[in-house]
Amino acid sequence: MNQLNIIKQTIEELYGLNLEEKCRKAKYIEARAFFIKITKDTLKNLTYQEIGNIINKNHATVIHSKKTIENLLTYDANVQKNYQDLLDLLTVDEENLDELTYLELKRITKSLIKENKLLKLQLQK
């Protein structure tokens, strides 16, 4: 799975929505804006049109969304927190991974699998 799909899938799972869906609800707008900003910042070779094609938006909407979210990030603490939480999910500290042994990585993986199952159960309630 390439980095673009990882970003899209992570945001869709976190927000529980489809970024391609036509909807003007606030959580959809925020999720698409975060997708656009993170994608443009990390995959600099993608054009606004290419990013828009992925989420069924035109290039002008993508540009507007990126500018709007950047403005909100300067003064809205709630948006800043949501954005930072999303970045934390997408960012892996590769330097520390090199220092872990196979058994430590296996233990961490099992722990995350259990945690994921518990969270899914909580969501079903």
Side-chain angles (χ1 to χ4, degrees), residues 33-87:
F34 286 160
F35 170 77
I36 291 165
K37 176 156 177 50
I38 291 170
T39 302
K40 192 63 180 167
D41 290 349
T42 57
L43 304 171
K44 297 182 187 310
N45 59 332
L46 285 179
T47 65
Y48 288 113
Q49 184 62 50
E50 291 170 330
I51 294 170
N53 289 342
I54 296 164
I55 57 173
N56 293 327
K57 299 292 177 193
N58 66 36
H59 75 284
T61 302
V62 173
I63 293 169
H64 175 73
S65 182
K66 185 173 185 290
K67 287 180 181 178
T68 301
I69 200 66
E70 286 174 345
N71 286 337
L72 285 172
L73 285 169
T74 60
Y75 65 86
D76 190 326
N78 196 27
V79 172
Q80 290 170 358
K81 182 192 177 310
N82 292 345
Y83 184 69
Q84 190 57 52
D85 290 346
L86 181 57
L87 285 180

